[in-house]
Amino acid sequence: MDQQNLCYDLRTEPWIPVERLDGTADVVSLRDALAEAHQIRRIAGEIPGECFALLRLLLALVYCVHSAQMGELEKENEERWKEIRSQGRFEVSEIDDYLDSYSSEFDLFDDEHPFYQVAGLAYMGEKEFDPIGEFMLDIPKPEKFLFAMRGPKHLDSLPFDLAARYLVIAQAYDTAGIKSPVVGNTSAKSGKAYAPKGALGTGWCGALGGIYLEGRSLFETLLFNYVLHLNNVSLIVDDDYAPWEREAPSTDTNQREPTGPIDLLTWQSRRIRLIPSEDGSSVRGVIISYGDVLTPVNKDRFEMMTGWRESKEQQKKLGSSTIPLMPVALNTARAFWRGLPSLLALQNRNLGPGVVRWMDYLQNVQIPIDWRFNVRAVCEGVSYGTQSSVVDNAMRDSVDLHVALLRENSGAARKLLDVIECADKAVGALVRFVYNVEQAQGDKRTSTVSDAMRGDAREDAYDALDSLYRARIAEFPDDGTMVGDYCLAWRQETRSILRNIAKEYLDQRHITYFTEHEEMSVGRVFSWFEGALVKALSL
């Protein structure tokens, strides 16, 4: 196929990797991802952030397909949501009717409105385009290619399906920093393009905690994250459109506010154009620069897939009478179960992710028997380094828990969070134990080495507790009469694991309990540790 007649229609071409309910791998089109969502287990992306970015695209389509059936009345919208759930699948005719309305906007190479791109985009100056690695999240700069997961010889071109996935990921997570300016960019300086001062430099998803709820099928996952209203305020608003529903964007950077959830789910943070190979068989290059930019302050009105925090720093900066909310960024350095207090946000429910608050609301207004099942809370995304110009780390983690634990008034959830808080205190006691043991031996190491040693002890402890805590959270009873005994056994298991770690530490160092320095003995240190464990894990 030559470039002149090139077409790759994402509505019908298979490009989204999925796992079927029977565990087999498959690749499906946009249309089939929705039409067969009840037969698909989950999106099966290769890199962290991919599933989240693709899920948000599909979720935006769910909003778009059903927007005509939703209105301003909350109860009517809830009934429609309930009706879709009772059907157990999305209506194929509704999906087809909607997608048929966009005959060219889902084509990667449309002459006027290519999907997630700008037609005719060109760099200023002599450079034609960048190599495809420039928009691939998991590919470092050439000088750091030693640490890449792909060899450079595999980066001459990309097949269309993979290029489409990286396109969606780039709009969601592209790094900040200096970009090459494109023709039409009015803010470029000295041949360099930057994000406007105070605006977010990365893709929108790069600022988020990246949280969603996963059901037993992709259909359930999409439905559970399909939030219609919160705090008696509807998310279905006028003039909220996806990129394929809008006029083609200009080539210039545009700082604006989002119009609604659909807009944020499909936020076009970059101006991009894919460059096909001469024979039209693959993508060989990319043009990429800044697009729609925004500030991350107070976007909780429409962004449902992250937690929030109050920022007095932003209040001072903006001169606001109220404390602004900022998204809680993903913490890639710790297991997700340790962040459950932020997920459940029992102290201030409005700081919790909208998808969690929506599930809480639905359980209050619908039949309780319909909500006796486990759900998987997933966090996914990347963290950045060096002024957000490089990807520092990436993760995808999840925790299974009973859906009733997502309720604001759940006494069981409070007990669960108490045990997690106790784990933090108990691990802290172990870290102090390691430090005190070294002091009892007359440790003369620098503070840097000593800090690293304690950090290793902390991580080793959480690694040892990880499987226990995941299993205990997944099996946590929703029956209040069983919670007390369950938590007691959990705490005892925690104490046993950490005590064994302490003993193994002494055995590996060949330290006797009688080792002493300046009237501090190892035996005394161990006794202090056991007392601290009992205190940390007491009811």
Side-chain angles (χ1 to χ4, degrees):
M1 181 182 292
D2 58 34
Q3 289 191 19
Q4 190 173 9
N5 299 314
L6 193 57
C7 175
Y8 193 80
D9 191 341
L10 299 181
R11 298 175 303 170
T12 56
E13 295 285 354
W15 66 284
I16 300 175
V18 298
E19 176 190 332
R20 294 281 182 179
L21 292 180
D22 61 4
T24 59
D26 200 358
V27 182
V28 299
S29 65
L30 269 178
R31 185 262 184 197
D32 289 346
L34 294 180
E36 301 174 11
H38 58 292
Q39 299 172 336
I40 295 171
R41 176 69 183 87
R42 60 169 65 91
I43 299 171
E46 293 182 353
I47 62 174
E50 182 176 355
C51 294
F52 189 65
L54 292 174
L55 179 67
R56 286 172 70 88
L57 169 60
L58 293 176
L59 186 58
L61 275 167
V62 172
Y63 275 100
C64 291
V65 169
H66 297 100
S67 61
Q69 305 161 17
M70 299 297 177
E72 298 180 357
L73 298 179
E74 296 173 8
K75 292 302 180 183
E76 291 183 5
N77 290 346
E78 288 171 25
E79 287 301 314
R80 177 56 181 152
W81 190 99
K82 187 176 180 181
E83 179 184 345
I84 296 172
R85 186 187 181 197
S86 66
Q87 291 172 350
R89 59 183 297 168
F90 295 118
E91 182 59 51
V92 176
S93 62
E94 294 175 353
I95 297 169
D96 289 340
D97 287 345
Y98 179 81
L99 292 178
D100 286 346
S101 302
Y102 299 94
S103 57
S104 58
E105 287 83 357
F106 288 97
D107 179 4
L108 281 185
F109 305 105
D110 184 67
D111 291 336
E112 297 181 0
H113 204 325
F115 178 78
Y116 268 36
Q117 301 167 77
V118 178
L121 194 68
Y123 282 136
M124 295 180 182
E126 298 181 356
K127 182 169 69 170
E128 288 188 65
F129 55 83
D130 283 308
I132 55 176
E134 190 67 24
F135 87 132
M136 298 170 69
L137 196 69
D138 55 336
I139 300 299
K141 299 297 182 183
E143 64 271 17
K144 298 182 179 180
F145 210 91
L146 176 64
F147 305 101
M149 298 299 290
R150 301 175 189 267
K153 66 180 181 180
H154 298 296
L155 294 177
D156 294 334
S157 64
L158 283 177
F160 294 149
D161 60 340
L162 192 55
R165 298 203 294 272
Y166 273 110
L167 174 63
V168 175
I169 296 169
Q171 290 287 13
Y173 288 107
D174 189 47
T175 56
I178 301 172
K179 306 289 183 184
S180 298
V182 295
V183 176
N185 187 308
T186 60
S187 59
K189 297 179 180 179
S190 303
K192 298 177 181 179
Y194 303 88
K197 186 177 180 180
L200 181 68
T202 68
W204 172 238
C205 292
L208 308 181
I211 292 171
Y212 62 94
L213 301 179
E214 185 177 279
R216 293 161 293 188
S217 68
L218 179 58
F219 168 75
E220 284 193 351
T221 299
L222 289 168
L223 200 61
F224 290 165
N225 295 276
Y226 179 30
V227 184
L228 299 182
H229 62 80
L230 282 178
N231 299 337
N232 299 318
V233 178
S234 176
L235 268 71
I236 311 301
V237 295
D238 294 334
D239 300 323
D240 182 26
Y241 301 112
W244 53 86
E245 296 177 324
R246 298 175 183 267
E247 294 294 326
S250 72
T251 59
D252 203 1
T253 300
N254 180 27
Q255 187 166 359
R256 66 181 182 86
E257 287 295 304
T259 57
I262 298 173
D263 194 14
L264 274 181
L265 288 168
T266 56
W267 189 257
Q268 300 292 281
S269 65
R270 297 293 181 262
R271 300 291 183 251
I272 301 179
R273 181 163 74 94
L274 301 180
I275 308 299
S277 60
E278 293 182 1
D279 63 0
S281 64
S282 61
V283 172
R284 63 171 176 151
V286 64
I287 296 170
I288 180 170
S289 195
Y290 286 106
D292 294 342
V293 294
L294 75 171
T295 61
V297 180
N298 290 336
K299 298 300 183 288
D300 55 305
R301 169 72 173 84
F302 297 125
E303 180 53 67
M304 299 293 106
M305 305 176 87
T306 189
W308 300 90
R309 61 179 177 85
E310 295 180 333
S311 175
K312 292 187 177 180
E313 178 184 351
Q314 287 293 325
Q315 182 183 26
K316 182 178 179 180
K317 181 178 179 180
L318 299 173
S320 172
S321 59
T322 58
I323 302 178
L325 296 184
M326 296 284 286
V328 177
L330 185 69
N331 187 341
T332 58
R334 69 177 187 177
F336 185 35
W337 61 262
R338 293 171 58 188
L340 280 184
S342 176
L343 176 76
L344 300 180
L346 298 184
Q347 299 301 318
N348 187 343
R349 196 60 167 178
N350 287 333
L351 298 181
V355 292
V356 171
R357 292 153 56 201
W358 174 243
M359 290 292 278
D360 177 12
Y361 174 82
L362 290 174
Q363 291 179 74
N364 286 331
V365 298
Q366 296 188 11
I367 302 173
I369 195 66
D370 292 340
W371 299 93
R372 297 188 63 83
F373 57 87
N374 270 32
V375 69
R376 174 168 294 174
V378 182
C379 69
E380 182 176 358
V382 305
S383 59
Y384 303 90
T386 317
Q387 297 181 322
S388 298
S389 63
V390 295
V391 173
D392 189 38
N393 203 351
M395 72 173 290
R396 184 183 192 276
D397 197 5
S398 62
V399 60
D400 295 332
L401 71 169
H402 197 283
V403 70
L405 295 174
L406 301 179
R407 302 190 65 173
E408 181 179 12
N409 60 356
S410 171
R414 297 180 188 279
K415 296 292 184 182
L416 184 150
L417 296 184
D418 285 345
V419 180
I420 292 177
E421 182 181 352
C422 287
D424 290 335
K425 295 177 181 177
V427 170
L430 179 68
V431 173
R432 289 192 297 275
F433 163 78
V434 170
Y435 174 78
N436 288 335
V437 167
E438 299 306 318
Q439 294 299 303
Q441 294 186 96
D443 182 45
K444 300 296 183 182
R445 284 174 285 192
T446 65
S447 60
T448 301
V449 174
S450 182
D451 289 344
M453 176 189 64
R454 292 197 294 272
D456 290 343
R458 184 181 304 277
E459 292 308 310
D460 289 345
Y462 279 118
D463 287 345
L465 294 174
D466 191 71
S467 59
L468 167 67
Y469 274 65
R470 291 181 188 278
R472 280 291 189 177
I473 292 169
E475 298 167 4
F476 202 90
D478 61 334
D479 184 348
T481 61
M482 302 172 58
V483 169
D485 290 341
Y486 190 87
C487 290
L488 177 61
W490 189 356
R491 292 169 192 256
Q492 290 173 341
E493 289 174 293
T494 302
R495 178 176 180 271
S496 177
I497 289 173
L498 295 181
R499 190 174 186 276
N500 287 338
I501 291 175
K503 293 179 68 176
E504 288 174 6
Y505 179 79
L506 296 180
D507 292 342
Q508 291 171 359
R509 298 295 305 278
H510 304 289
I511 302 172
T512 70
Y513 283 68
F514 302 103
T515 301
E516 184 172 334
H517 180 77
E518 294 184 357
E519 299 184 352
M520 181 183 289
S521 70
V522 173
R524 183 176 299 171
V525 168
F526 193 84
S527 178
W528 291 345
F529 167 66
E530 291 213 300
L533 265 189
V534 171
K535 182 178 180 181
L537 296 169
S538 61
L539 292 173

